[in-house]
């Protein structure tokens, strides 16, 4: 495996993006791969736009993904998916939570986000991660639902994912999170 | 064991493994997590938050005099605050190993400027060490201490946001204790009266030349052979971007980049027709080459000075026909004051009273956003108070009624106290408002001298702002509850009317610190709501308009009764605690 795999995750501060990228990085590290993960701290809890870059492979240099380099572009919120879509590599995969979070200062959610995404990536996968998270038993597990959804497109086994989730989430929430992961994994299959 | 560590965690781990005994800092993104992680090793490493970077630096310098390995860490602009001790410590240094960590912020993810602190090494005439990933951070920290001890100099250790906040694999090691050097009084070295300082300057110049010769063949500066036709020189994170942009090139990677190893670079450049110099922000390496007459280089004529780099930008900047960026048009999503934030009442009130503010740096800077729009100025930490006094001196005492200084508690302790003394001493009418949320919130909740707890988690003395102001001669010093809008309005009215200086402490702990205090979300009784829009003027992210223009509260965001500013401002009182919750 010479090529570096680039996973770009975006969303809104407070959605738990960092946990998802953390689990992915640990899975890749446990495989014995080189891994780099980069995000910017500080504004995460204050409702701003948040991104995390994860790169893994035999040897990784830059910790960030450049435009047109993401093999997998995952967004935890719809308009954040469109905001970063120019990072997608030709032939890359797009997975977006269809949840809409109105940016503060705007009165209503802008139109045309779905169309914008589809225009650039006709087979983008939009799914209702918030609904699935509620079904799993906790609306806050959107991040793990999304992790489940994009796990289908990476070469790690369900077992490797499960182990990393168990190691990373609070013990009391393991069951909910594993359920969220499985629901996401099913919904993310094509 | 191989684990993923951020660059900041790797500094902390490095402190542990390389026998550091004292670590100090004032928080500042992207450096904050360094000390937050050093504290995990508090049995072996004493660590503390200082009130500001200058004091942090001086405590570290004192610990180095005391003979132990020491670090002090700060964000790039923090080194401006510590520049005074820095510039002289460099001629004195040379006891316990002393490393100054600067975390620069190319791209200004959380900063007010993009200054490139590599120039501080040159300015202060001390060695500059630049790691590129977390493993190098940990290893080079050890090398930095060896250089510090061997040459008797502080060492500047430079990180940038993408090193500090990127996690990369690190092989963990054991701690090696380093014995304390016995302190021996030596005034000829540590008391910098001019007679001593003149001699010390000569010694610094000599030392610099010795370190340069050392840098010429230090393993921190390495050549990575590749395509004999393409040469690249780089350092720090820019090296990683350059490796991706020029995958087959021959590299000169600099890890000890000042004093600049000019012979090594000259020899390297002579092998190629042209050499690319890949640097983020300033042409630090390039200037050294050009001054030495090495001109077969391509640097800042192609690679941008402004903003953060990445491999795509490097690639495009040297490409003949780079593809244009294909960005979609999407409305911005800026950060905002959190729902329930205690700072909101002050800006709301100032706005309603048509009073402006010279302000400062912290979460409250977000009060600049509409609809609060409460800030006139924000420059650097502590500037609010001096700026307000300056306005008053320029425009007249009456203007102080229309322009108050607004500063956070941590920022006040950092560099507001001297400004307050200035207001008192120079007879200002200025009203200084301290937004006291009992924590350094912006950088992620660090304790400070006003919170009563140390970094190591011990209870301690708590600074009393009121008593402090009174001791300066400011009679009108008072407190008000941030969540009582009427009281906030009355207090701002009275203090600004007062023709003498006043201090108003607006108290309310940061809502993110105690989620247990959050109650059920408030509700709008839509029947009574007249769609007047008053509550929307609070700029609370939990409140929006429904289809009829009436207020709607997002129950996932609202923190409940503890805030209830919206209920207080509602003229028809249609916002309240949900009935079931109120009953129980
Ligand atoms: C010289 C300098 N050091 C550190 C920082 C980083 N920084 C920005 S705001 C801030 C403190 C904010 O705390 P406080 O004044 O209590 O306001 P709050 O965020 O809690 O509202 C810090 C440390 C900086 N900008 N400049």
């Amino acid at each position: 495996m010479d090529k570096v795999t680039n996973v770009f995750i975006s969303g809104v501060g407070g959605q738990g993006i960092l946990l998802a990228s953390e689990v992915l990085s640990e899975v890749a590290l446990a495989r014995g791969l080189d891994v780099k993960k980069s995000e910017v701290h500080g504004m995460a809890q204050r409702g701003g736009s948040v991104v995390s870059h994860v790169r893994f492979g035999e040897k990784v240099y830059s910790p960030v993904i450049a435009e047109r380099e993401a093999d997998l572009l995952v967004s935890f919120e719809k308009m954040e998916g469109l905001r970063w879509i120019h990072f997608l590599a030709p032939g890359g995969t797009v997975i977006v939570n269809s949840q809409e979070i109105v940016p503060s200062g705007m009165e209503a959610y802008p139109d045309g986000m779905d169309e914008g995404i589809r225009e650039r990536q006709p087979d983008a996968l939009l799914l209702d991660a918030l609904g699935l998270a509620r079904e799993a038993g906790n609306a806050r597990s959107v991040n793990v639902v999304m992790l489940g959804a994009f796990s289908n497109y990476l070469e790690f086994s369900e077992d490797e994912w499960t182990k990393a989730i168990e190691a990373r989430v609070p013990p009391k929430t393991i069951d909910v999170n594993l359920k969220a992961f499985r629901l996401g994994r099913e919904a993310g299959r094509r | 064991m191989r684990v993923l560590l951020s660059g900041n965690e790797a500094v902390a781990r490095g402190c542990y493994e390389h026998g550091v005994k004292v670590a100090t800092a004032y928080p500042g993104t992207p450096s904050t997590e360094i000390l937050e992680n050093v504290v995990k090793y508090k049995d072996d490493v004493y660590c503390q938050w200082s009130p500001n970077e200058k004091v942090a630096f001086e405590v570290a310098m004192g610990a180095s005099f005391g003979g132990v390995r020491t670090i002090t860490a700060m964000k790039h602009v923090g080194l401006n605050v510590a520049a005074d001790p820095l510039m002289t410590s460099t001629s004195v240094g040379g006891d316990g190993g002393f490393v100054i960590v600067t975390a620069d912020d190319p791209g200004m993810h959380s900063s007010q400027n993009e200054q490139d602190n590599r120039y501080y090494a040159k300015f202060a005439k001390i060695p500059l060490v630049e790691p590129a990933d977390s493993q190098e951070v940990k290893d080079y920290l050890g090398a930095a201490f060896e250089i510090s001890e061997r040459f008797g100099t502080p060492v500047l250790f430079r990180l940038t946001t993408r090193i500090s906040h990127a996690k990369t694999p690190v092989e963990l090691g054991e701690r090696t204790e380093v014995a304390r050097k016995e302190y021996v009084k030596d005034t000829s070295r540590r008391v910098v009266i001019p007679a001593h300082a003149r001699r010390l300057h000569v010694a610094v110049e000599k030392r610099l030349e010795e370190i340069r010769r050392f840098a010429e063949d230090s393993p921190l500066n390495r050549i990575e052979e590749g395509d004999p036709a393409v040469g690249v020189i780089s350092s720090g994170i820019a090296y990683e971007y350059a490796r991706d942009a020029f995958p087959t090139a021959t590299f000169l990677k600099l890890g000890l980049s000042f004093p600049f190893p000019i012979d090594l670079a000259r020899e390297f450049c002579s092998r190629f027709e042209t050499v690319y110099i890949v640097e983020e922000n300033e042409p630090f390496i390039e200037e050294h080459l050009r001054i030495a007459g090495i001109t077969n280089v391509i640097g800042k004529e192609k690679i941008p000075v402004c903003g953060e780099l990445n491999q795509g930008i490097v690639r495009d900047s040297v490409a003949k026909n780079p593809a244009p960026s294909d960005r979609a048009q999407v409305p911005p999503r800026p950060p905002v004051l959190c729902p329930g934030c205690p700072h909101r009442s002050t800006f709301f009130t100032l706005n309603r009273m048509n009073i402006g503010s010279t302000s400062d740096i912290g979460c409250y800077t977000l009060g600049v956003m509409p609809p609060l729009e409460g800030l006139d100025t924000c420059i650097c930490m502590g500037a609010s108070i001096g700026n307000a006094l300056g306005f008053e001196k320029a425009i007249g005492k009456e203007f102080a009624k229309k322009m108050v200084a607004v500063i956070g508690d941590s920022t006040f302790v950092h560099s507001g106290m001297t400004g307050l003394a200035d207001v008192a001493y120079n007879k200002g009418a200025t009203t200084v408002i301290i937004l006291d949320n009992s924590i350094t919130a912006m950088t992620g909740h660090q304790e400070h001298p006003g919170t009563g707890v140390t970094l190591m988690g011990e209870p301690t003395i708590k600074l009393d702002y009121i008593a402090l102001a009174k001791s300066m001669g400011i009679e009108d010093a008072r407190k008000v509850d941030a969540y009582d809008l009427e009281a906030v309005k009355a207090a701002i009215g009275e203090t600004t009317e007062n023709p003498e200086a006043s201090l108003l402490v607006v108290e309310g702990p940061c809502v993110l610190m105690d989620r247990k205090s959050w109650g059920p979300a408030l509700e709008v009784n839509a029947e009574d709501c007249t769609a007047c829009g008053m509550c929307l003027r609070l700029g609370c992210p939990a409140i929006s308009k429904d289809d009829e223009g009436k207020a709607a509260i997002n129950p996932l965001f609202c923190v409940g009764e503890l805030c209830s500013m919206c209920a207080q401002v509602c003229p028809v009182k249609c916002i309240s605690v949900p009935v079931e919750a109120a009953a129980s």
Side-chain angles (χ1 to χ4, degrees):
Chain A
M1 203 179 76
D2 256 18
K3 194 194 159 303
V4 170
T5 302
N6 295 325
V7 182
F8 188 100
I9 309 177
S10 61
V12 177
Q15 282 193 303
I17 288 161
L18 307 192
L19 178 116
S21 61
E22 195 100 11
V23 169
L24 167 57
S25 309
E26 290 295 342
V27 167
L29 185 77
R31 243 320 159 84
L33 296 171
D34 193 13
V35 191
K36 291 191 176 177
K37 161 181 126 97
S38 180
E39 59 239 352
V40 170
H41 303 194
M43 295 299 184
Q45 282 177 307
R46 288 161 192 83
S49 172
V50 176
V51 302
S52 180
H53 308 237
V54 181
R55 310 187 71 207
F56 56 88
E58 218 43 66
K59 170 77 192 157
V60 181
Y61 288 105
S62 168
V64 296
I65 298 166
E67 293 183 24
R68 290 183 289 272
E69 279 190 356
D71 301 296
L72 196 51
L73 188 110
V74 180
S75 185
F76 288 19
E77 200 277 348
K78 198 160 48 179
M79 114 191 221
E80 294 310 312
L82 184 56
R83 185 188 312 285
W84 300 104
I85 205 157
H86 55 295
F87 277 76
L88 187 68
T93 302
V94 176
I95 303 177
V96 176
N97 175 11
S98 55
Q99 191 181 348
E100 300 180 344
I101 302 177
V102 181
S104 180
M106 279 186 80
E107 294 192 341
Y109 200 77
D111 289 329
M113 299 295 119
D114 294 70
E115 294 78 0
I117 293 171
R118 296 243 183 258
E119 210 171 274
R120 284 152 188 268
Q121 183 52 289
D123 53 336
L125 181 69
L126 273 88
L127 60 113
D128 174 17
L130 182 60
L132 293 170
R134 290 204 172 107
E135 193 182 326
N138 187 344
R140 291 194 171 273
S141 60
V142 164
N143 54 354
V144 183
V145 172
M146 291 303 290
L147 190 64
F150 75 71
S151 69
N152 291 300
Y153 301 87
L154 298 170
E155 71 269 27
F156 309 108
S157 70
E158 181 148 351
D159 198 42
E160 290 173 281
W161 289 108
T162 314
K163 271 206 198 103
I165 293 171
E166 283 173 353
R168 187 61 185 66
V169 304
K172 273 193 221 150
T173 68
I174 289 181
D175 288 346
V176 172
N177 278 304
L178 290 183
K179 188 165 178 203
F181 179 78
R182 268 181 229 112
L183 288 173
R185 197 162 161 95
E186 264 161 48
R189 272 196 201 116
R190 280 190 221 251
Chain B
M1 194 170 64
R2 188 164 160 268
V3 297
L4 282 175
L5 295 184
S6 69
N8 286 349
E9 290 168 329
V11 174
R13 182 70 198 182
C15 285
Y16 171 74
E17 292 184 12
H18 303 305
V20 168
K21 294 240 169 51
V22 174
T24 69
Y26 178 72
T29 317
S31 71
T32 312
E33 300 83 0
I34 295 173
L35 269 269
E36 287 182 326
N37 282 286
V38 172
V39 74
K40 294 179 180 158
Y41 308 106
K42 69 179 175 185
D43 291 344
D44 297 291
V45 187
Y46 167 82
C47 54
Q48 66 163 53
W49 295 126
S50 291
N52 66 30
E53 293 87 351
K54 174 168 154 38
V55 179
F57 192 109
E58 290 155 347
V59 173
M61 186 173 29
S64 166
F65 288 160
V68 301
R69 284 194 169 181
T70 304
I71 70 152
T72 184
M74 56 201 72
K75 73 180 284 166
H76 61 338
V77 290
L79 199 50
N80 301 337
V81 177
D84 196 10
L86 168 73
M87 294 305 293
T88 303
S89 69
T90 55
S91 51
V92 195
D95 297 293
F98 184 16
V99 173
I100 303 146
V101 182
T102 171
D104 297 4
D105 191 16
M108 296 178 274
H109 295 282
S110 340
S111 301
Q112 65 267 42
N113 79 21
E114 206 168 12
Q115 69 185 50
D116 185 334
N117 275 7
R118 291 179 296 171
Y119 286 95
Y120 265 119
K122 190 174 174 192
F123 194 21
K125 306 198 176 215
I126 54 171
L128 172 65
V129 173
E130 294 188 78
D133 64 20
S134 300
Q135 182 69 54
E136 282 191 359
V137 166
K138 189 172 73 93
D139 296 346
Y140 286 15
L141 192 66
F145 278 112
E146 282 162 21
I147 293 168
S148 173
E149 286 155 5
R150 170 163 172 185
F151 295 99
T153 174
V155 173
L156 187 63
F157 195 79
R158 182 188 186 240
L159 310 178
T160 51
T161 300
R162 298 295 182 181
I163 298 172
S164 284
H165 286 171
K167 290 203 171 189
T168 74
V170 176
E171 201 60 57
L172 300 185
E174 296 297 320
R175 177 169 169 96
T176 312
E177 289 297 342
V178 179
R180 181 169 64 81
K181 289 190 191 137
E182 213 40 57
Y183 170 69
V184 182
K185 182 165 172 168
D186 179 0
T187 51
S188 72
R189 185 158 69 77
R190 299 195 193 92
V191 179
V192 289
I193 51 174
H196 296 166
R198 284 183 205 112
R199 190 179 35 72
L200 290 169
H201 185 186
V202 175
V204 165
E205 296 301 328
K206 183 162 162 279
R207 180 184 78 195
L208 210 53
E209 179 53 19
E210 282 165 15
I211 308 172
R212 184 193 59 84
R213 285 204 298 272
F214 172 85
E216 297 287 358
D217 34 48
S218 160
L220 269 55
N221 295 326
R222 63 171 188 258
I223 291 176
E224 296 172 353
E225 294 296 344
D227 183 344
V230 189
V232 178
I233 304 180
S234 194
S235 69
I237 196 70
Y239 158 81
E240 307 284 3
Y241 303 147
R243 282 257 46 147
D244 277 342
F246 300 94
T248 57
T250 298
F251 273 77
L252 171 56
K253 179 191 182 293
L254 299 177
L256 175 52
S257 48
F258 189 83
F260 192 78
I262 191 66
D263 295 342
L264 177 67
R266 189 192 311 275
E267 158 74 21
F268 182 81
C269 291
S270 71
R271 292 169 50 187
F272 305 92
E273 196 168 319
T274 42
V275 175
Y276 292 98
I277 315 296
V278 182
E279 305 179 77
E280 216 165 31
N281 294 145
E282 302 301 322
F284 183 78
I285 297 173
E286 187 179 347
E287 283 175 3
H288 282 103
L289 298 174
R290 292 197 187 272
I291 288 169
I294 302 165
T295 53
N296 60 328
V297 297
I298 294 179
K300 289 297 161 184
E301 69 205 81
K302 296 269 190 199
I303 293 166
V305 169
C306 298
E308 194 173 37
L309 298 180
N310 62 36
Q311 58 275 25
I313 295 170
V314 175
R315 220 180 275 132
D316 286 355
S317 60
V318 299
K320 288 231 166 54
N321 299 306
S325 175
D326 188 22
R327 195 182 286 263
Q329 285 298 320
V330 178
R333 189 188 293 277
V336 284
L337 288 179
C338 301
C341 176
H343 298 336
R344 183 168 279 109
S345 55
T346 297
F347 291 114
F348 175 79
T349 307
L350 290 173
N351 183 309
R352 302 295 294 158
M353 296 174 79
N354 216 358
I355 296 174
S357 76
T358 55
S359 193
D360 231 299
I361 306 198
C363 285
Y364 50 96
T365 313
L366 297 171
V368 70
M369 307 300 276
L372 296 169
E373 296 173 295
L375 272 68
D376 286 65
T377 66
C378 166
I379 307 297
C380 65
M381 288 190 75
S384 58
I385 302 180
N387 284 174
L389 184 62
F391 263 115
E392 180 186 330
K393 297 298 179 193
I395 305 179
K397 250 185 160 34
E398 279 300 299
F399 194 72
K401 293 183 181 164
K402 285 288 151 207
M403 184 74 81
V404 296
V406 176
I407 186 166
D409 49 341
S410 184
T411 305
F412 179 75
V413 179
H414 177 278
S415 46
M417 296 193 286
T418 42
L420 192 65
D422 193 23
V423 168
Y425 171 59
N426 285 305
K427 303 180 173 186
T430 311
T431 296
V432 174
I433 299 180
I434 299 181
L435 297 179
D436 181 10
N437 58 0
S438 312
I439 206 76
T440 318
M442 183 91 222
T443 43
H445 297 140
Q446 293 77 32
E447 307 291 348
H448 64 72
T451 67
V453 183
T454 68
L455 171 60
M456 314 246 281
E458 288 161 1
T460 184
I461 293 166
K462 189 170 163 172
L463 181 66
D464 180 343
Y465 307 113
I466 302 291
L468 177 78
K470 296 225 156 143
S471 77
M472 289 176 175
I474 297 175
E475 294 296 329
D476 184 0
R478 51 170 110 184
K479 294 180 184 177
V480 67
D481 173 3
Y483 291 107
D484 184 342
L485 279 167
E486 273 307 312
V488 169
K489 187 172 168 206
I492 292 180
E494 287 162 25
T495 50
T496 50
E497 280 306 318
N498 178 359
E500 282 167 16
S502 356
L503 177 76
L504 175 61
V505 182
V506 182
E507 289 183 326
C510 172
V511 281
L512 297 181
M513 284 200 295
D514 180 15
R515 284 170 200 262
K516 288 197 195 81
S517 68
W518 298 9
L522 301 193
E523 280 176 357
V524 180
N525 179 344
E527 248 164 61
D528 294 347
C529 178
T530 61
C532 71
M534 195 61 195
C535 56
L536 288 168
R537 294 193 184 183
L538 284 163
C540 175
I543 311 177
S544 58
K545 274 190 200 173
D546 70 8
D547 298 341
E548 296 166 54
K550 294 187 175 188
I553 294 179
N554 183 338
L556 285 177
F557 291 170
C558 176
V559 302
E561 200 176 6
L562 98 98
C563 167
S564 47
M565 289 183 201
C566 54
Q568 293 175 50
V569 302
C570 177
V572 296
K573 299 287 163 227
C574 74
I575 302 177
S576 56
V577 181
V579 188
E580 322 84 80
S584 65

